Amino acid sequence: MLIGIDWGGTKMEVIALDRNGGTRARHRVATPTSGYDACIRAVVELVAAAEDTAGERGSIGIGIPGSPNPRTGIVRNSNAVLINGKPLGRDLEAALGRQVRLANDANCLAVSEAVDGAGKDAHVVFGIIVGTGHGGGLAIDGKVHAGYQGVAAEIGHYPLPWMKQDEYPGHKCWCGKFGCLDMYACGTGLELDYRLTTGVERRGRDIIEAKRAGDPAATGVYDRFVDRLARSLALLTNIVDPDVFVLGGGMSNVDEIYGELPELITKYLFGDSFETPIRKAVHGDSSGVRGAAWLWKE
C-alpha cells in the first residue's frame, strides 16, 4: 500500500492507494497553526487513521510547499515558513518509525499526472500549479526530477519573461526579489493586477465571470494574465521542451486558456510553431496527494 500526504498551508490530506491506484483510505484535517511539533503529530495521526481504515501498513510519501536540500535534508523556500530550516524528513522518520520520501508539491502534481493522469506514459511531464501562487514540477519517466540542488522547475521564482516596459522591474515578491512569475501568472497575480488597474479588490473567480460578461477592465486583466503564462510556457519549451504541460490549481479550471495559449506561446517561442499538448490535471486538487503516494512507485 502507498500512503501519500499533501502538506498544505490550510489543510493536510492523506490518501492510501493500492498498487493499481485504487483508493483504500482518505482523510483530511486542518493544518495545525500551533507550531512545528503539532504538524508532525498531525502527520502521524493521519498515517495512523489511513492504516486503521485500510487495515494495512504502507510506504509514506509527503508533498510539501518548498523543498528539502538533497545533501542536508533541511527544508527551504517554503511559504509555510514554520518548516523552513527544519530537518523535516528526519523528524518525520523519527516520529513514524520508517523511511519517508519528501518532494515539492508541484513535483507531486507532475508525478501523479505522469503515472495515471493527463501525462500518462509521457517521457517528460512538466506540471504547473496555477493557483494562489505559481509553481512548477518536473517528472521524467514517472519519477521526480529535482536536480542537483533540489530546485529544478522552481519557475515561480524566475523573472516574468520578456518583461514589457510598464512591467519592469516588477512587483516585489515574498521571496525578497522583484518580478517573480509568482506575482503574475496565478490567481493572486490576477487579483493584484485588477486592484492596481481599478483600485477595487475583487476575487479571481469574480474577475473571470466579469470578463466573460464583457467587462473591459476584467478582460484586460485576464488577457495580461494569459499572455504572461504564455511567456513562461514558451521559455520552458525553449529550455525543457517537455512532451506535455499539465496545469493544476484554481486557474487551471478557466477553460478558455487552453484554446488561447498555443497561439500566444508561438509569438514568443524560438521556433515556427507550438504543438505541445497543454492539459488540465485529470486528478484536479487530488494530484498532489496522489503524487506523494506515487513517490514510492517502483
Side-chain angles (χ1 to χ4, degrees), residues 151-193:
V151 294
E154 285 282 11
I155 59 174
H157 297 279
Y158 64 32
L160 174 66
W162 294 287
M163 273 193 179
K164 296 176 169 51
Q165 188 172 0
D166 61 351
E167 294 171 333
Y168 185 83
H171 307 308
K172 187 173 183 179
C173 181
W174 61 266
C175 75
K177 299 181 176 65
F178 288 85
C180 291
L181 192 65
D182 199 44
M183 299 298 295
Y184 293 93
C186 60
T188 302
L190 184 86
E191 292 170 359
L192 175 62
D193 191 9

Side-chain angles (χ1 to χ4, degrees), residues 22 211 246 258:
K211 172 260 177 190
V246 180
Y258 298 94

Side-chain angles (χ1 to χ4, degrees), residues 105-106 108-110 112-113 118 125-137 155 185-187 225 229 233 245-254 257-258 261 278-288:
D105 50 9
C108 289
L109 163 73
S112 172
E113 295 297 321
V125 176
F126 208 108
I128 302 175
I129 297 175
V130 195
T132 303
H134 187 105
I155 59 174
C186 60
F225 162 80
L229 180 58
L233 294 181
F245 287 108
V246 180
L247 306 186
M251 294 299 292
S252 72
N253 295 315
V254 181
I257 66 177
Y258 298 94
L261 278 169
I278 304 172
R279 298 173 181 155
K280 187 188 301 186
V282 166
H283 297 295
D285 62 5
S286 296
S287 284

Side-chain angles (χ1 to χ4, degrees), residues 5 14 49 110 123 130 141 144 206 208 224 253 275 285:
I5 291 177
V14 66
H123 173 47
V130 195
D141 294 329
V144 170
D206 296 330
I208 296 300
R224 286 191 291 275
N253 295 315
E275 307 293 341
D285 62 5

Side-chain angles (χ1 to χ4, degrees), residues 14 25-27 43-55:
V14 66
R26 191 165 191 166
H27 302 279
V43 170
V44 173
E45 290 167 4
L46 281 170
V47 170
E51 292 183 334
D52 183 60
T53 299

